[in-house]
Amino acid sequence: GWLFRRVMACGRQSRDSKRQVILFILFVCVCQSGAETLRYSLPEEMERDSFVANIAKDLGVPLSQLAARKARVVSEGNEQLFRLDRNTGVLTAKESLDREEICPQSDTCTLVFKIFFENPLQLIRGEVEVRDINDNSPVFPEKEMVLEILETAAPGSRFPLESAQDKDVGINGLQNYSLGPNPHFSLATGTGKDGVKYLELVLQRQLDREEQGELNLLLTATDGGSPPRSGTAQVRIVVVDANDNVPVFDREVYEVRLSENSPLGQLVVRVAAADPDEGSNGEVRYAFTQTSERSRQLFQLNRTTGEIRVAGNLDFEEAKSHKMVVKATDGGGLSAHCKVQVEVLDVNDNAPEIALTSLTASIPEDAPPRTVVALFSVRDRDAGDNGRTECSIDGDLPFSLTPTFDNYYELRTNAALDRERTAEYNITITATDWGTKRLSSRESILVQISDVNDNPPEFTQELYTMSVTENNSPMLRIGRMKATDADAGKNARVNYALVRQEGKEQPEVSISAENGDVYILRPLDYEKVRAFEVTVLAADGGSPPLSAQAVLRVVVRDENDNAPVLLHPAPGSSAAGELVPRWAPSGYLVAKVVAVDADAGQNAWLSYELAKATEPGLFRVGLHSGEVRTARAVTERDAARQRLIVLVRDRGQPSRSATATLAVALVDGFSEAHLRVSEEAPAAEPDGTLTLYLIASLVCVSALFLATAVAAVVAKVRRARRSEAETLPTFPTTATESNAGSLPRSYVYDVCFAAGTVNSEFRFLRPLFPCFPAGLPPGPGEQRGSVCSQDAANLGGEGD
């Protein structure tokens, strides 16, 4: 009513009222279709204003909006069962709810209400389930049942009694009957094919009207509640004289077929019983007996005419047939019974139902075609063509359906599967009935494809190149080899191993079986091994396993772990000696320091420098050649003995070095002859030489004193030089030379000696060195030789 008044008010305020009314109704429909549903439960027979739910809390609506938006609750139907308090948001029951009154003969009882909001308009649907309690006792239709039984009735005769009815459901409903103690009757209960319990009185002992004309029995019905409830009825047995005719139905069973959509009031069947007696004994009255309450609601029986008509909505899916017992009683109390069976004809109002019976969780990808994946059944509660179904698979999938029996179907594969291409299939099965208006339903089945080891591992590269610096620490990780397997699970779990080759030593590397990390087992030496290759095998965890191979090349990088090694002068020997004439110009080649380095690259690039010298400015060393040359011309002021220390250094980081010590003697000149020097120098006679100079000095003193003094000074100087020349340095026999300091070149030293000559000399063929002058004449009996020859002999001996 409120909605109608609001719509009419809006229509009067607008010129185009018709269009606004249509739009408003559409808006209400949209709101209702999108409204959410609130669900609650409440036991029946609760007190008035019992709490149902807190609507404001459940909807998350502030209390202020309930009043502002004029929230109210409306129940479906004419009676409003709930009340909404806008101040608290609490939904309460206006009256005590009786489930049996609201939802009679229904297992579940659900009350629907709607909550309206304004500004903006909103509609929310709610449901309250009223739960059953054991608040009803079994009740017989009549408190007293009167049976008129002929005294001639034979023992074992059965007399139907009215069953009790219990409005409660489930365990709270009617469970059993009991009969009070008596000498003539017992109680028999049973359940018909339709599941309805029936009750009969069985005669155990012959009746005698003259002995007892009437019996009163107490019949008790009990339900299964806790505590249980019960109801009673009096059964009064009236013993009458024999009646020679009973009503007789023209048929014992009436069978009727009726469409489930038959209208109310439609005639179902007319039962008729004839009694040849006259008067009241021939008047027949009809009534239902041993008939379920549901059938009594669906069908109506005329007591006088025996016509049965439709009184409720029939449903084929609820009950395909209804069985009723009609009792015909004449005026004398005699009765007869007949059965009425109504078959409900189906109308196609139910879609097929798909029930999955068995499903293989996963199938291997190598499963052959026609492998059974699932078994399911299709059921349509309709009958005939309305219940006849057919199934199909949506889409182009490698599966097919095979019908088996009783509407069962097998889902089978019809082609080879490949998990690496498709790991799972979502199969949609459509079932359609054959009704005039065809109905269908769908069911989705997810089929997992399990892996089979059909893919070997694959390395990301055929050749892996890794490098390591020499002198590495043991078990050093230098990289990782990676192989992937398209399979899954253990079939994709890759293990790595080195391939052992017969006849070869154990490799210097190891590989982690789990992740392919490559480790160097022990320190490597670049000077011994610069690179090596091994073969790595990657095998998966399948059965049997599949594998692949790749080559691992390990390149050893050089480290500056070797110092330069001197070839000339040889390390460990005494200082090498070189002879340099005093007339040597600037750039004169004195010697060549030769060294090599076992490292490679810049670690083996050598440089030479003069670390220390007696005369720092007299000599220089070639940076890359190692050649020792005079930096300037030799003068008489330069000391006759020069000591040079040459530093040889590589370019590694950090650099390593070695030193060479050279002894250089400055001489005045030497001859053209070659001379092989001996190890021991000839015996020097400083006194003889001094005497020679003294004699010459005495001669000169006689001429000039000043000349004598000068001669004495000159003699002392000569003696000092002679003593220094007693241990001359040795000459190397060979040396190496290279612009880079490592490529050898031979130097040949040839020594010439001329016996008996005063000015003997020795020389180098390459280069040619002048020889210094000989000393004083030899003593008596001694062969004259030059100092050059003697010193050269000493040098040669040291070289040997």
Side-chain angles (χ1 to χ4, degrees), residues 682-691 719 722 726 776-780 782 790:
E685 296 183 286
D687 292 340
T689 305
L690 180 60
T691 301
R719 186 174 56 186
R722 183 67 62 186
E726 289 178 358
L776 295 176
E782 294 180 351
Q790 296 174 0

Side-chain angles (χ1 to χ4, degrees), residues 23-60:
L23 291 176
F24 180 79
I25 293 174
L26 289 175
F27 177 75
V28 171
C29 293
V30 171
C31 292
Q32 184 173 2
S33 63
E36 55 183 321
T37 301
L38 302 176
R39 291 181 174 84
Y40 306 99
S41 64
L42 181 72
E44 64 172 332
E45 302 297 343
M46 294 292 289
E47 296 179 0
R48 181 179 181 180
D49 295 328
S50 296
F51 175 83
V52 178
N54 191 328
I55 298 298
K57 180 179 179 181
D58 294 342
L59 294 178

Side-chain angles (χ1 to χ4, degrees), residues 696-716:
S697 299
L698 290 174
V699 175
C700 294
V701 167
S702 63
L704 184 60
F705 178 78
L706 181 60
T708 303
V710 173
V713 173
V714 171
K716 290 181 178 181

Side-chain angles (χ1 to χ4, degrees), residues 492-511:
R493 190 181 305 118
V494 179
N495 291 324
Y496 303 87
L498 295 178
V499 178
R500 304 291 182 179
Q501 297 183 359
E502 297 182 0
K504 290 190 177 181
E505 297 181 356
Q506 183 177 359
E508 302 290 338
V509 299
S510 69
I511 186 167

Side-chain angles (χ1 to χ4, degrees), residues 69 73 140 207 309 315 321-322 351 356 409 444 511 567 585 758:
R69 297 180 61 184
V73 62
F140 288 92
L207 296 174
R309 295 183 179 272
D315 189 358
S321 64
H322 295 272
L356 194 62
Y409 292 85
S444 294
I511 186 167
L567 300 180
V758 178

Side-chain angles (χ1 to χ4, degrees), residues 589 674 746-750 763-769:
L589 177 63
H674 287 278
S746 298
Y747 273 76
V748 180
Y749 298 89
D750 294 335
R763 67 178 180 177
F764 297 93
L765 295 182
R766 294 185 186 88
L768 181 62
F769 287 83

